[in-house]
């Protein structure tokens, strides 16, 4: 092969690699296997090695990172990179809309908005001359940013060459570099194993990765970029923001699938609420939506305030993270005797809920995060999970903060504590520790368990303290006179609680199994066991070998189930439950599991049943319900009236079905 032929070959390989890279990282729909892609790539590397004079800066081989820099250069943005003014409520969004009308001198009908999620990452600008990526920078102070060209080159969704059909002479693309949640988790797990400090959230991890002097480190992080606008452009005329987004897509940029053109404020409000719901299922973090006036001439008429334009606004979601001060650290003793350190906080609103306690998980976490009494900390709430302390704001330390040491005795019963090998938890060894007993009974009576309405923690606490009950089965022998010994217990309340106890005697088997509090048996395994064994008596008789045979049960879990049913104390509680009238499930020989091996994700409200009912029914038929969409999802169930979310959900993995369909299936 002569040089001319090599040049031709190299060009073809680059084109093919760029295209397949685009299919994979931008469209998320590859056309060839990873192995085939690697073969193309290796061929290019080999040719470029033989003909180093043919290597160009925009070759796909240049994504691997270069030699470390001493420091970053600076880049002056040709057009100021603005920030966004914020709206926190619907009212404030409507105020924004009113200003658009007043300053723009337009009516409601003349305004169109482009809306997209507000990505929580790092803003960057990418300059392309004649289709080649030449320089990339961070936003910096809006006027001057840092030159992170080498780092941005390593990001697979950043095109190094634009698709040729419509390449302008010059374009400055703007967007956000992000790290997916799942990649963030994996990165932190790896760092934990290596004993490195963890990132507090995906945004910090993304920003830290882009601002690396060593681009090889950036290359090792699976970053992503969403393009959301442009700076300067030469050689192409565009009149609306939506045209810009379509154009960016054609050039090969990754544009978010939820970007939409909307015509009325009520559509925008609906979009906000849909995104608020949908964000839980997205693998990247969004902290609001961005609303931009579509028409450029109207944008120009509206102009800018000091730092932000009058034609755009960020309508934020309620924050999931806040900072506050740790007043004290206490220890909570759980159902299994595990001692959990808990931070008592200066109350703070997080995502619309006041948070005054946050878990510190265990001794190792406490040490790793180095949380001290008096520290300023970042707390986080995600959905229904218990709030947690994410990180300490070390710059706020004044030297008076106190280190907390885990106690060597149980704070509730005074028994010694132990930490078993390979376990993160320190446990209380007291066999009659009242804390464990109370938590145990609370778990037994909770919604996912026997579902005894009205039996809250305070009441259970009193029942235990007054000696009315000493295990869950005692509940079924309570009398009204017993109830009257509790504080503030009237006739009606006592009767209601006794009625709910009686009603709870015929639970679905899976909930009965869950309520027993067998170590390592959560909601899902409880359903598996119910399906597999059909009754408590069968489960009780199961040998260790028989348990391990069940597909989803590993040796550790099998051991803890087996041990549970060997313990004479547990067996006597089971007998007492039976005597108290609790039904242990009938023997069922053939179980009908048509949904076996299928994974469902439920989103939005269903109209004919609650989500937990739907979940229970799907699981009874052998299916699995998972909280978020992944490669393993078979069906995404969208409730009735999904509005404009349906086309969005359609681009997610898995098949979309609506409520009536899933009802048909179950
Ligand atoms: S448009 C003037 N769209 O928000 C409009 N910005 O506060 C300029 N951001 O630093 C930005 N997602 O990094 C726009 N979909 C989106 C965005 C977005 C996140 C960030 C951007 C900027 C900050 C402005």
């Amino acid at each position: 092969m002569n040089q001319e032929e090599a040049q031709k070959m190299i060009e073809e390989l680059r084109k093919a690699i760029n295209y397949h890279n685009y299919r994979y990282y931008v469209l998320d729909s590859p056309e060839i296997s990873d192995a085939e892609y690697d073969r193309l790539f290796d061929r290019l590397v080999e040719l470029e090695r033989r003909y180093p004079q043919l290597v160009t800066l925009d070759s796909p081989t240049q994504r691997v990172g270069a030699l470390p820099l001493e420091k970053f250069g600076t880049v002056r943005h040709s057009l100021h990179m603005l920030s966004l003014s914020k709206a926190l409520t619907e009212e404030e969004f409507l105020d924004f809309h009113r200003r658009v009308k007043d300053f723009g001198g337009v009516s409601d009908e003349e305004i169109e908005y482009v809306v997209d999620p507000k990505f929580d990452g790092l803003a960057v600008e990418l300059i392309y001359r004649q289709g080649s990526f030449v320089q990339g920078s961070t936003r910096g102070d809006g006027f001057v940013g840092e030159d992170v060209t080498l780092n941005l080159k390593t990001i697979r969704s950043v095109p190094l060459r634009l698709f040729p059909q419509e390449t302008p002479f010059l374009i400055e693309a703007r967007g956000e570099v992000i790290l997916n949640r799942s990649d963030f988790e994996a990165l932190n797990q790896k760092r934990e194993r290596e004993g490195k400090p963890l990132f507090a959230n995906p945004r910090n991890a993304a920003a830290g990765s882009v601002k690396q002097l060593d681009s090889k480190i950036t290359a090792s992080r699976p970053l992503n970029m969403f393009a959301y606008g442009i700076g300067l452009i030469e050689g192409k005329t565009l009149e609306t923001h939506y045209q810009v987004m379509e154009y960016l897509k054609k050039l090969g940029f990754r544009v978010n699938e939820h970007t939409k053109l909307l015509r009325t404020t009520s559509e925008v409000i609906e979009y906000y609420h849909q995104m608020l719901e949908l964000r839980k299922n997205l693998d990247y973090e969004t902290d609001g939506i961005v609303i931009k006036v579509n028409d450029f001439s109207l944008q120009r008429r509206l102009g800018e305030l000091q730092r932000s334009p009058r034609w755009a606004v960020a309508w934020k979601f309620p924050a999931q993270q806040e900072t506050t001060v740790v007043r004290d650290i206490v220890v909570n003793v759980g159902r299994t005797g595990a001692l959990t350190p808990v931070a008592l906080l200066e109350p703070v609103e997080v995502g619309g809920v006041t948070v005054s306690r946050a878990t510190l998980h265990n001794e190792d976490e406490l040490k790793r995060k180095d949380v001290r009494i008096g520290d300023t900390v970042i707390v986080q709430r995600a959905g229904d999970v218990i709030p947690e302390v994410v990180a300490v704001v070390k710059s706020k330390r004044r030297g008076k903060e106190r280190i907390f040491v885990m106690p060597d005795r149980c704070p509730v019963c005074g028994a010694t504590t132990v930490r078993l090998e390979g376990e993160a938890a320190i446990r209380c060894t007291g066999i009659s520790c009242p804390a464990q007993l109370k938590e145990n009974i609370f778990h037994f009576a909770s919604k996912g368990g026997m579902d005894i309405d009205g039996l809250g923690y305070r009441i259970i606490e009193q029942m235990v303290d007054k000696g009315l009950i000493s295990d869950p089965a005692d509940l079924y022998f309570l009398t009204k006179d017993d109830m009257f010994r509790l504080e503030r217990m009237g006739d009606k309340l006592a009767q209601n609680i006794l009625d709910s106890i009686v009603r709870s005697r015929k639970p679905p088997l899976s909930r009965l199994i869950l309520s027993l509090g067998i170590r390592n048996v959560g909601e899902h395994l409880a359903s598996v066991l119910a399906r597999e064994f059909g009754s408590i008596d069968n489960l009780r008789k199961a040998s260790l070998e028989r348990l391990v045979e069940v597909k989803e049960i590993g040796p550790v879990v099998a051991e803890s189930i087996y041990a549970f049913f060997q313990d004479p104390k547990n067996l006597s509680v089971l007998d007492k439950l039976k005597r108290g009238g609790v039904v242990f499930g009938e023997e069922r020989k053939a179980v009908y599991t048509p949904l076996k091996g299928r994974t469902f994700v439920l989103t939005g409200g269903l109209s004919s049943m609650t989500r937990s009912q739907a979940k229970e029914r799907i699981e009874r038929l052998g299916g699995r319900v998972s909280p978020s969409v992944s490669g393993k999802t078979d069906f995404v169930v969208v409730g009735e009236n999904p509005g404009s979310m349906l086309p969005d959900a359609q681009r997610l993995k898995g098949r979309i079905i609506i409520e009536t369909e899933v009802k048909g299936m179950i």
Side-chain angles (χ1 to χ4, degrees):
M1 188 185 312
N2 62 30
Q3 178 159 335
E4 206 172 303
E5 284 161 351
Q7 168 89 43
K8 225 176 123 214
M9 189 77 201
I10 283 176
E11 279 303 322
E12 270 168 31
L13 282 167
R14 285 181 188 155
K15 214 168 133 192
I17 292 168
N18 280 337
Y19 174 73
H20 292 300
N21 184 71
Y22 169 79
R23 298 288 319 186
Y24 191 95
Y25 290 100
V26 177
L27 301 186
D28 200 11
S29 84
E31 282 177 354
I32 59 173
S33 70
D34 292 1
E36 274 173 277
Y37 180 87
D38 290 345
R39 266 198 298 280
L40 292 174
F41 198 87
D42 292 344
R43 271 199 358 246
L44 179 60
V45 169
E46 173 55 23
L47 279 173
E48 287 188 354
R49 200 185 54 77
R50 274 185 14 221
Y51 299 93
Q53 65 275 30
L54 298 181
V55 176
T56 59
L57 289 176
D58 63 5
S59 169
T61 56
Q62 303 303 299
R63 286 196 191 270
V64 291
L67 289 175
L69 301 173
E70 289 276 321
K71 68 193 266 275
F72 293 122
T74 54
V75 176
R76 180 165 285 279
H77 302 299
S78 35
L79 292 178
H80 180 191
M81 284 181 85
L82 294 161
S83 59
L84 290 163
S85 56
K86 289 180 188 55
L88 294 172
T89 58
E90 188 175 311
E91 246 337 283
E92 289 178 6
F93 158 63
L94 292 171
D95 287 344
F96 159 80
H97 175 71
R98 220 163 292 130
R99 285 194 300 275
V100 170
K101 282 200 293 189
D102 293 350
F103 282 96
V106 282
S107 65
D108 288 308
E109 293 73 39
E110 292 169 274
I111 304 173
E112 287 179 333
Y113 290 119
V114 175
V115 289
D116 42 17
K118 186 170 194 297
F119 311 109
D120 211 4
L122 184 77
V124 295
E125 180 169 80
L126 311 160
I127 305 178
Y128 292 82
R129 287 184 195 282
Q130 281 156 336
S132 279
F133 177 50
V134 292
Q135 188 175 54
S137 54
T138 60
R139 173 167 175 268
D141 64 3
F143 296 96
V144 177
E146 284 175 319
D147 184 338
V148 288
T149 310
L150 294 176
N151 294 346
L152 295 179
K153 265 190 176 175
T154 69
I155 302 175
R156 301 309 174 110
S157 43
V158 168
L160 299 181
R161 275 211 68 82
L162 302 179
F163 288 140
Q165 300 84 346
E166 293 205 55
T167 314
F169 179 67
L170 167 85
I171 184 169
E172 298 175 349
R174 292 177 174 181
E176 196 90 350
V177 174
I178 58 156
L179 187 66
N180 277 351
R181 268 198 260 259
S182 49
D183 292 325
F184 160 77
E185 299 291 343
L187 174 62
N188 259 358
Q189 275 166 18
K190 181 159 162 276
R191 288 175 76 83
E192 177 148 36
R193 283 196 299 275
E194 292 166 354
K196 291 184 182 154
L198 303 192
F199 290 110
N201 50 46
R203 183 198 43 219
N204 287 1
S209 303
V210 173
K211 293 182 182 176
Q212 274 291 336
L213 288 169
D214 184 351
S215 51
K216 291 232 164 53
I217 297 182
T218 317
S220 75
R221 310 261 167 90
L223 298 167
N224 260 303
M225 192 196 79
F226 282 121
Y228 56 60
I230 55 171
L232 264 192
I233 178 161
E234 287 172 18
K236 172 87 188 173
T237 318
L238 298 160
E239 264 146 29
T240 67
H241 185 70
Y242 201 70
Q243 283 174 10
V244 166
M245 301 310 283
E246 294 286 298
Y247 186 53
L248 286 170
K249 234 190 270 181
K250 271 195 208 145
L251 292 175
F253 288 96
R254 183 161 181 237
V255 168
N256 189 267
E257 58 194 355
H258 302 296
T259 299
K260 290 224 152 64
L261 182 61
L262 301 180
R263 292 193 169 72
T264 65
T265 51
S266 41
E267 281 179 358
V268 174
I269 294 167
E270 194 197 339
Y271 180 85
Y272 175 87
H273 291 288
Q274 286 167 341
M275 286 310 298
L276 187 59
E277 183 59 29
L278 188 75
R279 71 194 288 224
K280 300 170 198 144
N281 295 333
L282 297 176
D283 197 16
Y284 46 86
E285 301 214 316
T286 66
D287 55 348
I289 63 170
V290 181
I291 302 154
K292 301 164 202 174
V293 165
N294 189 32
D295 184 44
F296 283 159
S297 62
L298 179 53
Q299 281 193 6
R300 275 191 294 275
R301 250 179 297 151
L302 288 163
E304 299 164 13
L305 295 157
Q306 294 100 312
R307 312 225 74 201
S308 52
R310 261 199 214 92
W311 47 262
V313 71
W315 183 1
K316 305 264 284 192
F317 296 137
Q320 304 286 101
Q321 285 194 345
E322 281 298 341
T323 56
T324 186
V325 174
V326 177
R327 279 185 183 162
D328 200 0
I329 296 176
V330 295
V331 169
N332 183 53
V333 183
R335 169 163 71 82
T336 59
L339 270 56
T340 307
V342 175
L344 302 186
L345 307 166
E346 212 57 72
V348 64
E349 268 232 356
V350 190
V353 173
T354 304
V355 171
S356 55
R357 299 163 69 89
T359 179
L360 293 158
H361 299 294
N362 55 50
E363 186 179 29
D364 289 348
E365 283 283 295
L366 178 71
K367 283 195 182 142
R368 186 172 64 68
K369 290 178 182 157
D370 187 20
V371 182
R372 304 179 188 180
I373 299 165
D375 264 338
T376 299
V377 292
I378 301 173
V379 288
Q380 163 172 295
R381 246 190 90 231
D384 302 332
V385 303
I386 306 167
E388 62 167 350
V389 172
V390 181
V392 173
V393 186
K394 296 242 164 94
S395 58
K396 290 265 174 94
R397 282 225 171 121
R398 293 293 167 265
K400 291 212 177 107
E401 296 76 14
R402 281 180 296 128
I403 293 177
F404 176 81
V405 183
M406 290 292 279
D408 51 13
R409 295 204 160 258
C410 172
V412 177
C413 72
T416 50
T417 56
V418 290
R419 182 167 171 180
L420 299 179
E421 221 186 282
E423 275 202 12
I426 295 180
R427 285 179 205 280
C428 159
T429 56
I431 38 169
S432 51
C433 175
Q436 289 180 51
L437 179 58
K438 289 171 193 170
E439 294 277 351
N440 227 325
I441 296 173
F442 182 66
H443 172 79
F444 177 85
S446 67
K447 267 227 143 25
M450 302 297 274
D451 193 12
I452 305 178
D453 220 23
L455 195 61
Y457 196 81
R458 288 279 133 75
I459 295 181
I460 293 172
E461 198 162 30
Q462 284 188 58
M463 287 176 168
V464 172
D465 290 343
K466 295 201 190 299
L468 295 176
I469 53 175
S470 53
D471 62 49
D474 286 340
L475 288 170
Y476 294 93
F477 298 89
L478 286 171
T479 63
K480 217 172 202 178
D481 282 343
D482 291 334
M483 297 300 286
F484 287 144
R485 290 180 52 200
L486 306 176
E487 279 157 36
R488 282 191 295 271
M489 182 59 61
D491 188 64
K492 187 140 186 256
L493 183 55
Q495 192 56 53
N496 282 347
I497 294 175
L498 290 177
D499 286 349
S500 342
I501 292 175
V502 170
R503 266 202 312 277
S504 76
R505 290 189 305 199
K506 286 188 193 128
L509 183 58
S510 62
R511 294 223 316 257
L512 176 61
I513 295 174
L514 183 75
S515 75
L516 297 178
I518 306 170
R519 270 282 255 312
N520 302 317
V521 175
E523 219 175 306
H524 177 66
L525 277 189
S527 317
V528 171
L529 290 172
R531 221 170 32 236
E532 194 72 29
F533 292 94
S535 79
I536 291 281
D537 292 322
N538 286 348
L539 181 58
R540 179 173 166 170
K541 282 182 286 192
S543 67
L544 204 50
E545 294 73 43
R546 170 73 184 87
L547 286 164
V548 184
E549 269 172 24
V550 181
K551 194 164 139 244
E552 298 189 53
I553 297 178
V556 176
V557 182
E559 178 61 48
S560 70
I561 298 168
Y562 185 71
F564 182 91
F565 290 105
Q566 296 305 303
D567 180 354
K569 224 173 73 213
N570 291 339
L571 296 180
S572 85
V573 171
L574 285 175
D575 289 338
K576 209 198 281 181
L577 280 172
K578 231 180 200 170
R579 273 184 279 124
V582 175
V583 179
F584 276 21
E586 308 97 55
E587 297 226 16
R588 268 173 292 138
K589 281 270 135 49
V591 244
Y592 181 55
T593 56
L595 300 183
K596 200 165 174 141
R598 301 275 180 213
T599 301
F600 291 73
V601 172
L602 306 173
T603 134
L606 303 180
S607 62
S608 61
M609 60 188 117
T610 67
R611 264 204 255 180
S612 58
Q613 282 170 332
K615 182 167 187 282
E616 207 170 296
R617 284 165 70 177
I618 289 171
E619 286 177 349
R620 199 160 358 114
L621 296 172
R624 240 195 105 105
V625 176
S626 143
S628 60
V629 179
S630 75
K632 295 196 193 95
T633 309
D634 295 297
F635 298 104
V636 180
V637 183
V638 188
E640 256 173 38
N641 302 323
S644 55
M645 247 338 85
L646 193 55
D648 291 339
Q650 255 148 7
R651 285 184 218 100
L652 296 172
K653 293 198 178 101
R655 223 192 99 203
I656 309 299
I657 54 177
I658 56 171
E659 183 173 352
T660 41
E661 281 184 78
V662 77
K663 266 175 70 188
M665 288 166 95
I666 64 183

